[in-house]
Amino acid sequence: QVDLTSAPPGAAVFENGVHVGVTPLKLRWAPGERELLFQLEGHMPETRRVEVTRDPFSLAVVLQTAEQDDPGPGDEDYKENPY
């Protein structure tokens, strides 16, 4: 058994490109290597490679908030009007 969680919860989980559920999630997989993608709106996607064995294991992923593209002072592309 594989227990998948994310902070914050509610991330869509894709296993080798196929949507398998939303965190928190409990799955049963045959042994083998898997690539997991965690996606949640407003957060950066996270990818993890895991080796599934016959032993149960847990995977917890912390999703980082996505940066907003909002120019302002300090932004390299921000140009202040000199007049």
Side-chain angles (χ1 to χ4, degrees), residues 4-13 22-25 38-40 59-63:
L4 303 174
T5 59
S6 67
V13 180
V22 175
T23 61
L25 187 59
F38 294 77
Q39 290 184 319
L40 182 63
L59 176 63
V61 175
V62 177
L63 300 171

Side-chain angles (χ1 to χ4, degrees), residues 22-80:
V22 175
T23 61
L25 187 59
K26 291 181 187 285
L27 298 168
R28 291 191 182 277
W29 279 324
E33 186 174 289
R34 307 261 186 313
E35 182 173 283
L36 303 177
L37 172 64
F38 294 77
Q39 290 184 319
L40 182 63
E41 188 173 335
H43 294 78
M44 301 296 292
E46 289 286 335
T47 302
R48 298 286 189 276
R49 278 194 185 275
V50 295
E51 182 68 34
V52 176
T53 64
R54 295 184 190 278
D55 299 323
F57 78 93
S58 297
L59 176 63
V61 175
V62 177
L63 300 171
Q64 301 298 316
T65 304
E67 296 282 328
Q68 297 297 327
D69 198 15
D70 186 18
D75 189 298
E76 293 175 15
D77 297 328
Y78 181 79
K79 304 287 186 219
E80 189 172 326

